[in-house]
Amino acid sequence: MSSILCASSISPASPASPALHAGPLRFRGLWIPLVTPFLHDGSVDHAALAALTARMRAAGVSGVVACGSTGEAAALSKHEQLAVLETVLQAALDLPVVMGLSGYHLGQTIEQIQALAAYPPLAGILVPAPHYIRPSQEGLLHWFRAIADASAVPLIVYDIPYRTGAVLATDTLLSLASHPRIVALKDCAGDMAKTQALMADGRLDILAGEDAQIFSTMALGGAGAIAASAHWQTERFVQLMHQLAHGDLPAARSTWQALLPWVQACFAEPNPAPLKAVLAQAGWMHNLLRAPMMPATPALTQRLQALAAGQESGLGVAAMHAGS
């Protein structure tokens, strides 16, 4: 890992870390939605996944998410998803782990929720609206409440209408906030009025889910971010979180402006292909995805490599090779 922030990074075990709070865990700071590495035979590369989790822990992140959309969870079998979770939990040690869980069959989804009770110490689950169905707001209330009722751990609502086809109205989210186990929102809706209304209400921790919105969400009072692009130059993203959390906007603005070209490049093609191209170049994993996901194009790969070497962004990301 990079030594850029060795003097200022805060480890997950530090009393000042946003990962730890008095009372129930709240979802704050930087969370990494882990990619899922694969081997050439098509199976999950558990050794690379464990090493990646350990790197994120060492970088001082607040937690990690297993089997999110960045982790290509839709291309994993249920057995593979649980195996991924087990590997991440073992490698995370004291670092909080959230499990992503999606579907459109409520009964089967609740069965999966109940199966997760065998995997302590899980910090929470990340759940979107049921995809494809496009239920009413009443149907969405029923979906999330039933899942939260069945869960032994806190729930992060994943508001991402461009993946699910379902729009969660502000009033619906405010109603869900009254459930004792619904405590946070991964905000990918692109509706700043809704975001600010939820922040003003104060019952949900608002996590930026669109990486390009990290600065604005945090500056407005958000709790943190679940950011795929922070797999790389992780310590600098952690630094950004601390600058924003402490209201040091001039420093945070400088950090963010340097990171923004990297963030934009990471989503120039479907996630996680750009990330895997760079992580493979660093020797952290193979550049393999499961169909229908395709590797990043040569042109984008070259652009990403230039950014990772600091040739465009000036971040000096190449120093992270020392930790690989």
Side-chain angles (χ1 to χ4, degrees):
M1 275 296 196
S2 170
S3 59
I4 293 173
L5 300 178
C6 284
S8 59
S9 294
I10 298 178
S11 71
S14 166
S17 171
L20 301 177
H21 302 270
L25 174 72
R26 297 293 290 189
F27 298 96
R28 300 181 180 276
L30 178 65
W31 292 69
I32 306 296
L34 296 169
V35 301
T36 302
F38 296 115
L39 294 168
H40 286 288
D41 65 3
S43 62
V44 173
D45 187 345
H46 287 277
L49 179 60
L52 177 65
T53 304
R55 284 189 177 97
M56 297 301 103
R57 180 180 182 274
V61 303
S62 294
V64 294
V65 179
C67 295
S69 52
T70 300
E72 298 174 77
L76 301 175
S77 69
K78 301 305 179 188
H79 173 76
E80 286 177 319
Q81 290 179 15
L82 291 177
V84 163
L85 175 61
E86 186 171 355
T87 293
V88 172
L89 283 169
Q90 289 176 352
L93 301 179
D94 59 341
L95 183 68
V97 177
V98 163
M99 178 66 169
L101 192 64
S102 65
Y104 50 80
H105 187 292
L106 183 58
Q108 292 176 359
T109 303
I110 288 176
E111 288 178 0
Q112 294 173 53
I113 292 288
Q114 293 169 339
L116 293 176
Y119 292 84
L122 197 62
I125 54 173
L126 174 66
V127 182
H131 54 272
Y132 185 75
I133 296 175
R134 299 181 69 189
S136 67
Q137 295 302 303
E138 186 62 31
L140 290 167
L141 285 169
H142 179 72
W143 168 266
F144 284 107
R145 285 170 175 164
I147 290 172
D149 287 343
S151 178
V153 297
L155 184 71
I156 303 172
V157 174
Y158 190 179
D159 188 8
I160 185 162
Y162 61 79
R163 285 189 183 271
T164 65
V167 174
L168 284 160
T170 302
D171 288 345
T172 298
L173 288 166
L174 290 171
S175 295
L176 291 174
S178 64
H179 195 289
R181 279 190 292 280
I182 298 177
V183 301
L185 176 77
K186 181 180 179 184
D187 183 14
C188 296
D191 184 341
M192 192 54 68
K194 180 166 68 174
T195 299
Q196 293 185 75
L198 293 168
M199 287 180 184
D201 177 73
R203 288 178 292 169
L204 296 176
D205 289 337
I206 307 302
L207 300 163
E210 294 293 326
D211 292 27
Q213 299 301 318
I214 291 173
F215 184 91
S216 56
T217 297
M218 288 287 290
L220 286 168
I226 300 177
S229 59
H231 275 81
W232 196 254
Q233 194 61 211
T234 310
E235 293 96 332
R236 190 61 64 92
F237 280 93
V238 171
Q239 181 187 51
L240 174 69
M241 293 290 108
H242 287 295
Q243 289 167 339
L244 287 166
H246 290 89
D248 189 355
L249 288 181
R253 190 177 298 113
S254 177
T255 302
W256 176 242
Q257 288 172 348
L259 284 169
L260 189 56
W262 167 255
V263 172
Q264 293 169 334
C266 283
F267 297 95
E269 293 177 9
N271 180 49
L275 278 172
K276 281 194 167 181
V278 171
L279 299 181
Q281 180 69 21
W284 293 10
M285 63 188 64
H286 300 295
N287 188 19
L288 299 172
L289 299 95
R290 282 193 176 171
M293 295 299 295
M294 294 286 109
T297 60
L300 179 59
T301 299
Q302 184 176 13
R303 177 183 167 196
L304 288 162
Q305 289 171 353
L307 283 166
Q311 294 172 3
E312 292 181 20
S313 67
L315 289 176
V317 183
M320 291 185 72
H321 285 285
S324 64

